[in-house]
Every structure is written in structure tokens, then in C-alpha cells.
Amino acid sequence: MKELCGSVVAEYVSLFLNEQFQNKFNIYFNGKGSYEVTVDGVKTDLLFKAYPFWEKEKPELLKDFSSQTLLFGEDVPGTVFFFLSGYFEYISPDKKDVWGNFPGKESFQEKFGLARIPVADLLIEEGIVNKLNRERFDIKLRNDRPLFFLTHDVDLLGYYKANSKVKVLAGDILKRRNLKEFFGNLKNIISANDPCEVDYVLSKSISRNIKSTFFFMAEKNVGKYYGGYDINKYRDYLKGKSESIIKAGGDVGLHYGVNHLEKSRLKNEVTSLERVLGRSIKSGRAHYLIFDCAKSFGEYEKSGIALDSTGGFSDIIGFRFGTCKLFRPFDFCAMKASSVIEAPLIIMDGTLKDTFFMNLSCEKAVELSKELIDTIFKYSGVFTLLWHNTSFFRDGWNRWEGVYESILDYTMEKKFVSVNGRDIINIFDGGSYEKDT
């Protein structure tokens, strides 16, 4: 198997550029310690001295990176690869949060205050594209319209499906001592209304002509992990909901279980959900955003997942891989690009609100979300938002419904194109986002 080196970096960055632009890029490592660039068969004047980051220890990487130029030395291709591949995360397997994930606060980006800057996209624009256009090359994006990928992880099918109605009401009085929630829950129970069912969040998408993609679980979680349900018990319910989602222009995928990285586990989950829903499952995201930089993409490939959207941090919003673009991530086990498409997760609802994450006020959450949306618009990227169907009405989420609606409305005001999971697969394979609208 190949080892990480300049030629591997050049091959991967060339692939990334060729999937983003109409032009044919070829970056090659010339054996003299530099990267050269050809475009559409024409050699350019671009020459980048390689910085062999793969030979460096973490203290050296932190020392050698320039917070002014956002580069290692003058190495644009190498620095782009460093961020796109998640290399710093790959060499930091000892850094784990309580769920076993690499925390955003330990990321290279966060150490330099760059988590909300798509560094790879910025470097490509300023260090490659703009320079080539000054050389009279006509560099054109494949997709020059920003995309909105609205997603919902269905950890629970509804508040009252997951909790005893009697216990909910008793808890409002005896534990939470909250009469307002008691009467609210009582009213919902009497009227058979559950604001945490998928219908409620779907209605907000339908009223705005937005496509929603829902990721359903295939099994119930055990132990310390929250969520999940018996899909065979709710077979008819799940099939009916998935049909309503698809009729509204949305899509359904798999919310991988907490043990999905165990051998053959993910493939079994895919098969189980396909059997219940009666349709193929091609997209998904991991519960708790559980992700292993060395293993995950290989498991997705083997399980038939074409599109993943796990690639965001739980504890901070922004750009885990330094990009807001759809891309094929780097598989460190195979030392090449994965066949999986990654739609990086930019914002998760709980990241904004939860006290153990960013713990933002509603006002600050809207402000930072709009800043990220503006950034993604600038680079014609994809804004992937995760808002759980249970993030309404209960457990302090009352005021956050307005945050969610503000994010939706601002994104559509900016003329983002709303896409679902299958649209993204089609777009990335050279199709049009208009095919299924």
C-alpha cells in the first residue's frame, strides 16, 4: 500500500479540483520538492515548494503554520490536503470526548481560530484560481449556485412515542415543577398532537418549499446512548412517513447506530431499513456524529452508502474539513480518495444550544448562523443544517423554534437551491439539481 507522500497529495488535490471546476487540473509532484500545475493540458507558471507535513510531529506543525497566510510555507496543495483530509485529527487518536469522538476544540482549526473559515476553499480561490485567471485561464466552477441541504436526524419518532404519557405529566409536576409544560403536554395528549413527530418539522419545510432529508435509525440504542426504536414495531408508521417525506420532495436515509463501525453492522442496518421502507438507502449520518477518521469512510463504502453527512463537530459549528464543498474524502486506510460523497455538516441545533457545547443565546445563534451562511454563499458551497425533529416545544427548546425559522428564511432569502440527498448524489455525478424538482 502507498505511503503518504507528495505524489499522493498531488493526486488527491487534483481530484478535488476536477470535481469542483469545469477545467481539467493536473497537479504533480516533480521529484524536486515542488508541485507543478497544468490546466486543460497547458503548463502554468504556478510552482509550490512542498512542505512535507507527513514527516512532522504535532508541535512542528503548530509552529510552522502561518496564521497570516494560512499556509505551511508556500505550499498551497499540501495545506489544502492537510485540511481536506483531516490529517491533524488522523494523527490525534488519543483525543476523544465522552462519546469517543475527536472534539472540535482540539482541532487544528480551532487552535488558530479558523473553525468558521473554509480554509481549503479560500486557499484554492486565492492561491490557485485567482492566479490562473490573471494568467488568462478561464477557470469555471461546475456548480456556481449555493445549495441548502436541510437534514433531520430522527433519534425518536416523537415525544409521546418515546415516553410514557403518565410519566411525562407526573414529571412536569413533581420533577420539573412546571405547570406551563404540564398543561401544554396535557393539551397535546388530549388532541393527539405530538410536536416532536416528523410531521411538525416537515410542515415547516413544505410551507417554505424546502426539501428535507430525514435520517431514520434502524435499531434501538442501549446503555448510555439515547435514542432509537424498533423499526419492525413501527413498520407501517415509518413507511407512511417516508412516503409523505418523498411526496413533499424530500428524501430518507439512515441514521447509523452507535456501533455501526463494528464489522458488518452498518451493512445490516442499511438492509434492515431498506426492508422496512421498501426503498434503497444511499445516504446517512452517524448518531452522536460518531466518526473515526481512519475507519468510517471504508465502512460507508462497504455498506453501499453513497452520501455521508457526519463530517461536522459536535461541540463547535463550522468546517471540520476546511471546506463547504461536496467532496470525496480521503481514506487513510486505502491512501486514496473514497468513493463516498461527503456533505460536510456545518451547523447542528444542539451545538448551538447545549450548555456542554457552545451554549449560545438565541440571538447569538442566529447571528453566527447567518455569518456561516454568508460565507458558504460566497464560495457557492453547500449549507448542511441538522435540526432534530425533537428540538421543539420541550426541554428548553421553546424559543429555539424562532432560531430555526430564522435560519431557514435567511437561507432561502439568499437564493440557495434546496436539495435532498438523492439530488446531491445526482449533482455530484454530473447531473442537475433541477432533475427531481
Side-chain angles (χ1 to χ4, degrees), residues 314-369:
S314 297
D315 56 336
I316 58 173
I317 59 176
F319 308 100
R320 183 171 187 162
F321 295 106
T323 184
C324 59
K325 303 286 190 174
L326 302 170
F327 73 109
R328 297 198 194 276
F330 190 77
D331 184 340
F332 282 101
C333 288
M335 279 295 156
K336 64 178 184 178
S338 170
S339 65
V340 173
I341 304 164
E342 183 66 25
L345 175 60
I346 310 300
I347 296 175
M348 178 173 72
D349 48 7
T351 308
L352 299 170
K353 172 186 173 291
D354 289 346
T355 54
F356 43 87
F357 291 148
M358 295 183 74
N359 193 25
L360 300 176
S361 67
C362 292
E363 293 74 20
K364 190 65 176 178
V366 171
E367 177 188 333
L368 293 183
S369 297

Side-chain angles (χ1 to χ4, degrees), residues 188-246:
N188 286 329
I189 290 169
I190 292 171
S191 62
N193 173 50
D194 189 337
C196 292
E197 287 202 27
V198 299
D199 293 342
Y200 189 71
V201 69
L202 180 61
S203 70
K204 293 186 177 296
S205 298
I206 292 172
S207 67
R208 293 168 171 82
N209 198 28
I210 296 173
K211 299 179 178 183
S212 277
T213 296
F214 288 79
F215 297 124
F216 289 101
M217 304 200 79
E219 60 186 17
K220 188 171 178 61
N221 290 302
V222 296
K224 68 178 181 179
Y225 295 101
Y226 161 93
Y229 28 85
D230 183 342
I231 59 173
N232 290 309
K233 177 181 177 181
Y234 292 106
R235 175 184 294 267
D236 293 340
Y237 175 87
L238 285 165
K239 189 161 187 182
K241 294 303 178 189
S242 68
E243 289 172 355
S244 296
I245 291 164
I246 292 160

Side-chain angles (χ1 to χ4, degrees), residues 25 44-45 51 89 102 119 124 157 160 204 216 227 241 249 253 258 262 264 268 329 332 334 352 356 362 386 413 433:
F25 280 85
T44 74
D45 292 336
Y51 172 85
E89 181 175 341
F102 182 74
V119 178
I124 287 169
L157 295 177
Y160 306 121
K204 293 186 177 296
F216 289 101
K241 294 303 178 189
V258 294
E262 295 177 4
S264 301
N268 292 339
F332 282 101
L352 299 170
F356 43 87
C362 292
L386 162 55
E413 286 169 11
Y433 47 74

Side-chain angles (χ1 to χ4, degrees), residues 1-2 11 28 35 78 92 121 127 142 161 169 184 215 361 365 369 390 412:
M1 187 177 68
K2 290 189 284 189
E11 180 182 354
Y28 58 97
Y35 299 105
S92 305
D121 301 333
R142 288 186 181 277
K161 278 186 171 60
L169 295 173
F215 297 124
S361 67
S369 297
T390 50
M412 299 312 289

Side-chain angles (χ1 to χ4, degrees), residues 43-172:
K43 185 176 180 180
T44 74
D45 292 336
L46 295 183
L47 184 69
F48 303 103
K49 183 178 180 181
Y51 172 85
F53 60 84
W54 54 89
E55 298 176 356
K56 309 293 184 180
E57 299 294 329
K58 283 192 281 188
E60 290 180 277
L61 294 171
L62 293 167
K63 177 177 68 71
D64 292 347
F65 183 77
S66 169
S67 57
Q68 280 73 46
T69 64
L70 306 186
L71 290 168
F72 291 108
E74 302 171 357
D75 187 358
V76 173
T79 307
V80 167
F81 178 96
F82 181 87
F83 283 97
L84 282 177
S85 68
Y87 180 78
F88 194 78
E89 181 175 341
Y90 174 67
I91 63 171
S92 305
D94 56 316
K95 301 294 184 182
K96 301 290 185 184
D97 63 15
V98 67
W99 307 114
N101 282 329
F102 182 74
K105 66 182 180 182
E106 295 289 346
S107 68
F108 195 86
Q109 297 94 307
E110 188 69 358
K111 292 180 186 299
F112 287 91
L114 300 173
R116 296 199 291 274
I117 297 174
V119 178
D121 301 333
L122 183 153
L123 292 177
I124 287 169
E125 181 178 271
E126 296 185 358
I128 296 179
V129 172
N130 290 349
K131 289 182 179 180
L132 290 174
N133 283 335
R134 286 196 291 271
E135 288 186 33
R136 300 181 186 275
F137 286 91
D138 186 17
I139 308 300
K140 292 182 178 179
L141 285 168
R142 288 186 181 277
N143 174 44
D144 60 359
R145 296 183 67 182
L147 307 177
F148 182 26
F149 185 34
L150 176 59
T151 65
H152 313 284
D153 292 356
V154 187
D155 298 344
L156 302 173
L157 295 177
Y159 190 41
Y160 306 121
K161 278 186 171 60
N163 300 279
S164 161
K165 298 178 178 66
V166 174
K167 285 184 178 180
V168 168
L169 295 173
D172 289 339

